[in-house]
Every structure is written in C-alpha cells, then in structure tokens.
C-alpha cells in the first residue's frame, strides 16, 4: 500500500513569488501615477497569487479513500 504524504509547495521560496511580493507595491503605485492604475481583477490576481500556498491564509485538504 502506497501512502501519500502531503508536502507543501513553499511558493515563498521561489524567485517569482519573492519578486512579485517585493515589487508589487511600487508597481501598483507606478501604474496609479500614470493614469487610472490597473484593473481591479489584475490587482486581485496578484493578491491571490501571493496568498496561494501560504498556510496562514487558509487551506483545504481533501482526500478520496477510493
């Protein structure tokens, strides 16, 4: 019998996540200073990306016994 073991992705260790986290505030400010800024759905997508995989932001684990 093979037992699956959960292993968290740890997105905060990736370069992409770190750059997005560090540069997002300045990027949003720059976009705002050049006009109306970014659409809300784009801001929400960045926030969702940064929250994804971070356990303190919430999680769900589902397992099917079959």
């Amino acid at each position: 019998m093979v037992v699956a073991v959960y292993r968290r992705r740890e997105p905060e260790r990736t370069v992409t996540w770190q750059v997005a986290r560090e540069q997002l505030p300045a990027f949003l400010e720059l976009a705002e200073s050049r006009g109306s800024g970014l659409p809300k759905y784009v801001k929400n997508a960045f926030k969702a990306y940064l929250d994804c995989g971070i356990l303190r932001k919430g999680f769900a684990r589902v397992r099917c016994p079959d």
Side-chain angles (χ1 to χ4, degrees):
M1 177 176 162
V2 176
V3 177
V5 176
Y6 174 74
R7 196 174 105 205
R8 196 170 80 78
R9 295 185 312 110
E10 299 184 24
E12 69 277 13
R13 292 181 178 246
T14 66
V15 173
T16 304
W17 190 92
Q18 291 171 8
V19 169
R21 182 177 164 269
E22 292 170 11
Q23 299 300 319
L24 184 58
F27 176 65
L28 294 176
E29 187 177 315
L30 177 64
E32 195 70 32
S33 73
R34 292 185 175 190
S36 61
L38 296 174
K40 188 174 181 177
Y41 74 90
V42 174
K43 293 177 189 178
N44 290 342
F46 273 115
K47 183 178 177 348
Y49 171 73
L50 292 173
D51 286 350
C52 184
I54 307 301
L55 295 180
R56 68 182 169 84
K57 299 288 186 172
F59 66 95
R61 185 172 178 196
V62 180
R63 187 180 141 228
C64 177
D66 296 333

